[in-house]
Amino acid sequence: MSWYTAYSQDSTCDNDLEKAKNLLAENSPFDDSAVIFKLVEPCALNGNSAAENLLGVLYLKGIGTPVDEATAFKYISSGAEKGHATAQYNLGRMYKTGAGCAINFNKAIDWFKKSSTNGNQRATYSLGYMYYKGLGVEQNYQQAIQWFKNSEDPMAKHFLGLCYYQGYGVPADENKALEILLTNTIINSKTLVSYIQNNQKENTDTAVEEALNDISNNNTNLEAAITTPIETLQEQEPVTVEDVIGDWEGKLIQYDWSGNKIERILPIELSFKGSDKSMDVNYSILEQQDTIIASFQDDYLYFKTPFNFTLDKLYSSNPKELSLDYGVLSINLKKQVISNSIYLIGTVDTYIDNWMEYGQPTRIILKPKHEADNSEDEALLLALAAQEDQFIKLYPVPFVNQLTVQYQLEMVANVYVELVSINGGNPIVVVPTTHQDPGNYTYAVPVNPSLPEGLYVVRLFAGNQLYTRLIIKDN
């Protein structure tokens, strides 16, 4: 091939790709999707990296061709390997969501970094988002903010404004938040500005403060509650099914993504009847009530179907999404005895149906219903209910034909990991007994499509310690 021929082909491809992009910029559905595909495919087959990326997107979205994620992955991977920044970002997205490949957050982050280095602003924002929620990395607001600051992407500016508004990783600064958001024209920022101008955060913070004061009976602050009855504390103990049976009332506590800041405190009532194999659970939260079935195993309450409730968002970046639908998959309970009274403290495993992601860290504190109030003890429990990170992270929620299991070891241990239905059956071995050093571990588990839908438990043994986490299998 002569230099002139190669130049002519590149020039033709540039023109054809520009035409295709202009057509794609029009509102879908595309009347001329076949034309778009025909403009792009020859250039991609000729090895043009920009065309390979765009052809991959067409396969991914089903524009001018049936949806084919595997073929999309092939073309986008080829473009990414050749250094095309947008293809590198798209490949990172595919590894993040599992489109055409197994979910792999480590590879997603690697490709986001390569794309960011090549100047892709959305990839730089995506790295911030991974740190913001702790996806594939240890959750870290400061790292997230640095990536947001380095990106010109509107969503990066939006999340940076949100961090200043909420005080995530920086001192809360409403004026700074507004300075950033008011220069950002996307609907997300406009919606958040309306929340700020309506004193939404002030109202929320006031509600949390009032709840804390109410718990403390308005006559002692939380610090005093921590120090005065401390000698009455016993260590948290494992819970038996006999401890759980009965009527309970208490608080559901939502934290920010770091698990350090209380963002919402809600009253909740739970009633348990039955046995460890099958337990009737009545729940009531914000006048939302239902009865569901649970089982009790390894200090966990596993719900046969998630118990669901809807909460207004504390702030909204989407005018069409002012509330979120939560599902509770399990509660890891511990028993705390204070002044001869029994309390249950639990880590609540929630997911957000709207986002198909796990919810923010959540805890629950329960005391026997109708028991005489002891406000100082309850304030102490609230102070002690520091959110614990989930040792096991699972993606996606729910899973269909592939599940990613991630965990971090702090010390050397023999590790065994299995996936098993809560209804019994033979476990699927994720990691056979293996001697592992400290570090992060990620496993992509292919799942037979014939595996029945329902609730499954990932059980991880690290030395003598057992960790479990619940996940939904869908079809």
Side-chain angles (χ1 to χ4, degrees):
M1 180 183 296
S2 68
W3 173 88
Y4 177 78
T5 303
Y7 176 82
S8 298
Q9 287 181 346
D10 288 342
S11 178
T12 299
C13 280
D14 289 343
N15 291 333
D16 287 348
L17 290 177
E18 189 64 28
K19 291 177 185 177
K21 290 176 182 177
N22 288 336
L23 290 171
L24 285 169
E26 299 175 0
N27 293 330
S28 61
F30 307 104
D31 295 330
D32 44 13
S33 59
V35 174
I36 297 172
F37 189 85
K38 289 178 181 178
L39 285 168
V40 176
E41 186 183 36
C43 296
L45 294 176
N46 197 45
N48 182 292
S49 61
E52 287 176 320
N53 171 66
L54 188 51
L55 186 64
V57 173
L58 298 182
Y59 274 109
L60 194 62
K61 302 294 185 181
I63 300 173
T65 181
V67 172
D68 187 337
E69 291 185 350
T71 302
F73 182 81
K74 180 183 75 171
Y75 281 109
I76 290 174
S77 294
S78 180
E81 292 289 354
K82 292 172 182 174
H84 191 271
T86 305
Q88 291 172 333
Y89 162 73
N90 284 333
L91 187 57
R93 284 280 302 168
M94 295 183 83
Y95 275 118
K96 178 179 179 291
T97 61
C101 60
I103 289 176
N104 189 319
F105 283 169
N106 293 334
K107 289 185 177 180
I109 290 170
D110 286 343
W111 282 109
F112 286 152
K113 286 181 177 178
K114 290 176 182 178
S115 180
S116 176
T117 300
N118 284 335
N120 188 286
Q121 301 300 305
R122 179 50 66 101
T124 306
Y125 151 70
S126 297
L127 287 166
Y129 184 84
M130 301 293 274
Y131 278 101
Y132 181 86
K133 287 193 174 180
L135 303 177
V137 292
E138 186 175 350
Q139 196 280 339
N140 188 313
Y141 285 137
Q142 286 79 16
Q143 288 280 357
I145 287 171
Q146 194 57 53
W147 287 110
F148 294 151
K149 286 182 175 179
N150 290 340
S151 175
E152 293 298 321
D153 188 88
M155 284 303 296
K157 290 184 176 297
H158 174 76
F159 269 84
L160 183 60
L162 176 60
C163 286
Y164 277 104
Y165 174 48
Q166 290 293 108
Y168 292 161
V170 290
D173 188 335
E174 188 174 300
N175 291 331
K176 181 70 173 178
L178 286 171
E179 177 185 327
I180 295 168
L181 295 169
L182 286 170
T183 61
N184 211 25
T185 58
I186 59 175
I187 188 64
N188 309 67
S189 293
K190 290 181 179 179
T191 305
L192 182 54
V193 165
S194 70
Y195 266 60
I196 296 175
Q197 292 174 339
N198 290 326
N199 296 318
Q200 185 73 16
K201 182 174 184 294
E202 180 180 326
N203 296 339
T204 301
D205 289 347
T206 299
V208 170
E209 184 179 351
E210 288 176 350
L212 291 172
N213 287 337
D214 179 59
I215 289 171
S216 300
N217 202 27
N218 292 316
N219 58 22
T220 180
N221 58 37
L222 212 51
E223 287 74 19
I226 294 173
T227 56
T228 49
I230 196 71
E231 67 278 0
T232 67
L233 277 177
Q234 299 179 15
E235 292 294 324
Q236 290 185 7
E237 304 172 10
V239 177
T240 66
V241 68
E242 290 77 15
D243 293 324
V244 173
I245 297 299
D247 300 327
W248 300 83
E249 61 184 357
K251 307 295 180 183
L252 185 77
I253 305 168
Q254 283 189 329
Y255 296 77
D256 73 313
W257 292 102
S258 73
N260 295 319
K261 176 185 175 184
I262 294 175
E263 295 207 321
R264 179 151 45 187
I265 303 173
L266 301 168
I268 187 171
E269 294 185 6
L270 291 166
S271 176
F272 304 101
K273 299 177 182 178
S275 65
D276 56 347
K277 300 296 183 183
S278 182
M279 191 181 298
D280 289 332
V281 181
N282 296 311
Y283 71 88
S284 175
I285 178 170
L286 295 181
E287 299 182 351
Q288 301 171 68
Q289 304 177 52
D290 204 353
T291 300
I292 53 176
I293 306 299
S295 61
F296 184 78
Q297 177 182 336
D298 301 326
D299 293 339
Y300 275 82
L301 279 169
Y302 295 118
F303 300 102
K304 298 297 179 69
T305 57
F307 87 64
N308 302 304
F309 56 92
T310 300
L311 297 179
D312 291 338
K313 295 178 71 173
L314 295 176
Y315 51 86
S316 183
S317 298
N318 184 343
K320 296 181 180 179
E321 187 183 75
L322 302 180
S323 63
L324 292 175
D325 299 321
Y326 289 84
V328 175
L329 299 172
S330 66
I331 304 176
N332 181 209
L333 289 172
K334 296 294 183 182
K335 181 171 63 176
Q336 181 77 65
V337 179
I338 300 178
S339 301
N340 297 318
S341 295
I342 294 177
Y343 295 82
L344 298 180
I345 302 176
T347 300
V348 184
D349 209 4
T350 68
Y351 76 101
I352 299 173
D353 193 49
N354 314 59
W355 300 345
M356 298 182 67
E357 290 183 1
Y358 280 103
Q360 64 267 50
T362 304
R363 298 279 276 174
I364 196 170
I365 303 171
L366 300 172
K367 65 177 181 179
K369 196 172 182 180
H370 308 308
E371 185 175 287
D373 287 337
N374 187 329
S375 299
E376 279 200 355
D377 288 347
E378 193 170 351
L380 172 60
L381 279 175
L382 184 61
L384 293 176
Q387 175 62 33
E388 298 173 1
D389 289 336
Q390 289 285 1
F391 183 78
I392 305 172
K393 296 182 179 180
L394 306 175
Y395 311 92
V397 185
F399 72 97
V400 179
N401 52 19
Q402 180 239 320
L403 174 65
T404 296
V405 179
Q406 185 177 41
Y407 58 91
Q408 180 175 356
L409 289 180
E410 300 294 338
M411 59 184 66
V412 173
N414 288 323
V415 174
Y416 171 83
V417 186
E418 65 181 14
L419 172 72
V420 62
S421 169
I422 65 168
N423 296 320
N426 294 326
I428 298 172
V429 177
V430 177
V431 182
T433 302
T434 307
H435 185 78
Q436 294 186 339
D437 293 324
N440 289 301
Y441 293 87
T442 303
Y443 295 92
V445 185
V447 177
N448 191 318
S450 64
L451 190 71
E453 64 180 11
L455 292 176
Y456 286 77
V457 182
V458 172
R459 293 161 52 88
L460 186 153
F461 295 86
N464 296 324
Q465 186 69 44
L466 170 65
Y467 302 92
T468 66
R469 190 151 197 200
L470 205 65
I471 188 73
I472 301 173
K473 167 66 168 61
D474 206 353
N475 286 336

